[in-house]
Amino acid sequence: MYNKSLKELSASLRNKEISSVELSQYFLARIKHFDGDLNSVITSNEEVALSIAQQADKVIASGGGGLLTGIPLLHKDIFCTQGLRTSCGSKMLDNFVAPYTATAVNQLELAGAVMLGKTNMDEFAMGSSNETSFYGSVKNPWDLDTVPGGSSGGSAAAVAARLAPLASGTDTGGSIRQPAAFCGITGIKPTYGRVSRYGMIAFASSLDQGGAMAKSAEDAAIMLQAMSGFDEKDSTSVDKPVDDLLAGLGDSIKGLTIGLPKEFFTKDLDADIREKVEAAVDAMKSAGANIKEISLPNINLSVPAYYVVAPAECSANLSRFDGVRFGHRCESPKDLEDLYKRSRGEGFGDEVKRRIMIGAYVLSAGYYDAYYKKAQQVRRLIKQDFVEAFKEVDVIASATAPSVAFASGEKKGDPVSMYLSDIFTIGVNLAGLPGMSVPCGFVNNKPVGMQLIGNYFEEARLLNVAHQYQQLTDWHLAVPAGYEQEASA
Amino acid sequence: MKWETVIGLEIHAQLATKSKIFSGASTAYGAEPNTQACAIDLGMPGTLPVLNEQAVRFAVKFGLAIGAHIAPYSVFARKNYFYPDLPKGYQTSQFDKPIVGLGQLDIEVGGETKTIGVTRAHLEEDAGKSLHEDYHGMTGIDLNRAGTPLLEIVSEPDMRSAAEAVAYVKKLHTLVQYLGICDGSMQEGSFRCDVNVSVRPVGQEEFGTRAEIKNLNSFRFIEKAIAHEVERQIDVIDSGGKVVQETRLYDANKDETRSMRSKEEANDYRYFPCPDLLPVEITSSLLDEMRDSLPELPAAKKQRFQQQYGLSAYDSEVLTTQRAMADYYEDAVNFSDGEAKLVANWVMGELSAALNQHNVDIVNSPVSAERLGGLVKRIADQTISGKIAKQVLELMWSSEHSADELIEREGLKQISDTGALEKMIDQLMADNMDQVEQFRAGKTKMIGFFVGQLMKQTQGKANPQELNKLLQSKLKE
């Protein structure tokens, strides 16, 4: 059951092989059974989920609904859910229950999906290893001594361990793609503006984008289809019809041109990973794709540019957590200054504080031009490189991360080395392009991800390429050892 | 040494939109605390701003009215600082790319016209209110005002006296109400004023160090605060000190300014473009639409009133200061069949006095322009005298009746019938021969006695001109 595709699950629901309530109970049982080690789910929605599943069963019985009706899923705890705590992985919001639901979650709910709970994440989505969460680190089901990646590590680990067929994620610098790669699942971050950011707690507003995490490109396509679309509540969402992401999945990729940026295939890339990615590229070549080397001359500036722009935005975005209206407030503050200092000092973890300080610094008088303004200029150059590249190629391929999942604690004290684990993914956010990660093999029994980058609003093509690749390979079907068994109910 | 005062002004005009600048919450004044603050106004996590188009249109309208450059692209920025009534920890405002660029406004002081430059005007959101009273050492926060749209209008340092500054503020106050973009209520804080004041020796090019005075919510306070601040600065310099750049608060109770914070304590606001909002794009079609929607502006209206109605410059100025009053005036003239001068006197005189006395705005006047026009018509055609008309106006104030109905009901119609008046005069003269003799002996003032007596008998209804004529001729017989 746990390894069935969405289409298969949906068919089972329609054939009355199983009800949505049973399916939900099945995955809730898996969460209870397996998540003790993983720590991927931090809030259960069991009661409400079962009543929603009941509703879904009625809809299905009447012949209505769609592919997502009655399908259980998990949401990253960055998406606000009315009536259910939204912590963003932070002590600051440990007591926060939003009086509204994020648009993306709402759309999935309207499509009939059943939210089982909320997944762990790096605090305020700041991290690449899921070690900065107030609720403790998440473990990688492929090797409990390694990290699942971040910041959507809870969602990635949960889908990898088959605790739910789907999970939402958000991606500011690689936070869907890198954990997808580390956990051997498929994750897609669409074009900036394709999924509404309303109700998604902001880290860096001009980079944040919600997306889908699933076992396969086809499942991810179904989920993303439901999440996408213009939202009048988000001024940066784009008023453009959503393509049918499923219709073209089966199209041949013959004649498509896949670009390989030479800057992403250097000696910095682990040789074993390089071999797996090249093998995946060969597989696509054998399916008729043309392969072309390209150059993104300014891409090596993406990490420094990102670590100016993202902290700058976060420093302002997190100012609202001041202990005045919601969230953590320190005990008996002496005065206003004390209220601010202690509420924020106690509520935020080290990584969040580090980024707020960097952000405040790069925006301060006398430094703005040298840092923030310069970073924005670099950002435009990086975007321009991609625009040029897409004149020659349809899709760009690379490794998603420079290594496989690293050991827990390995990079915790070394922020720069941690930041560099997003070196291949960050440029995509700076340019606002859609990108995804697809499993393409194993190194030392740890999954390797191939990143695919598409042109603006070409999610359909991206998913088509990924799906065709997954027709040729079955890396995406591999389940980590121990999790193939059924949960004892 | 002779000193020259240099003044520049920053005015915050609250835009008269129904909802807030970035949310759908109402902007209505006076609601229970925190009942008009939605999740967006509270800065709840995950919420996002959506720009109120009406605020943009109002800003454009203002820019066009002062002949300013309207930026085809303007940008909202975040102004970062912590304060409990600033929910997001930043104010969304326009910084280096404001929507309205350089424009100008003419003022008249002492019969001279002077052009004041308007540096810029930009859109921003208001903060909430901190309530320090009533909470016993704690502070209450009311976020109803948070997110209310403001247009901040910044002038050039072009004013040289308190009188010029007040003239400029009054001009702007009139203009924004004309445009219908601000209700102008200074009491409710819809029109707020900060004044930058400095002094320099006459003839010196360079500006002196300025102080910014905040919290001026009446024209009188502006004038007084400037006068005091100028005096204070001159005192400081004369006694060998230096004026420091600082923000000062005007205390109306003590009639003085005192220091709030100096420049050294000023925040670094760390402005940067707000990533949640797209640049504001002003299309040429919107510009055309706003240009076409501009009403006749105060200066043009004043000129027209002088020409069309033959009014003095002073009367035209008074009648056009408030658009509502100008509209009322013109309506009343129509209903009076064109008695322009007489209507002007009544609107500026009796009506305004009554409105002031009852503290009622002219838009809510119990006596409509139609009814006032009807009243004036009866004065003009001598149905009633001016004195009786005042009585009629009072009756109209508390009823729905027209002047004609009231004149009829109360029998106030003027007695112009010569025969009837002659009869009354003859009787009066017969009863008071002494007084007649006195008159005839040269004591012509005695005519007042007869007028008074007859008016008393007719309860003021005798046509005074007619009465005078008849008395003169009869007494001289």
Side-chain angles (χ1 to χ4, degrees), chain B residues 126 213 254 289 298 345:
Chain B
D126 206 345
I213 315 170
K254 295 186 185 158
E289 192 196 326
N345 291 342

Side-chain angles (χ1 to χ4, degrees), chain B residues 366-404:
Chain B
V367 178
S368 67
E370 178 173 3
R371 290 162 78 210
L372 187 81
L375 177 67
V376 169
K377 196 154 75 177
R378 293 300 162 240
I379 304 168
D381 69 10
Q382 303 206 347
T383 305
I384 53 171
S385 66
K387 206 169 160 198
I388 292 290
K390 288 178 193 176
Q391 278 180 46
V392 179
L393 183 68
E394 243 172 75
L395 293 168
M396 290 170 101
W397 194 268
S398 50
S399 80
E400 295 290 320
H401 297 296
S402 70
D404 285 346

Side-chain angles (χ1 to χ4, degrees), chain B residues 86 95 129 135 155 173 188 219 242 272 361 371 389 410 430:
Chain B
L86 186 73
F95 180 51
K129 244 198 268 184
Y135 292 93
S155 85
H173 189 244
E188 292 176 7
F219 298 129
K242 265 188 174 167
F272 75 104
D361 206 84
R371 290 162 78 210
E410 303 291 320

Side-chain angles (χ1 to χ4, degrees), chain B residues 14-20 25-36 126-127 129 131 142-146 148-149 183-192 217:
Chain B
Q14 177 180 327
L15 295 174
T17 55
K18 287 198 178 65
S19 58
K20 294 190 176 174
S26 166
T27 54
Y29 178 82
E32 283 292 299
N34 298 312
T35 54
Q36 284 177 180
D126 206 345
K129 244 198 268 184
L131 309 163
D142 178 7
L143 294 175
N144 282 353
R145 213 177 61 187
T148 298
D183 69 17
S185 168
M186 293 176 92
Q187 261 177 349
E188 292 176 7
S190 316
F191 192 85
R192 307 198 288 265
N217 60 2

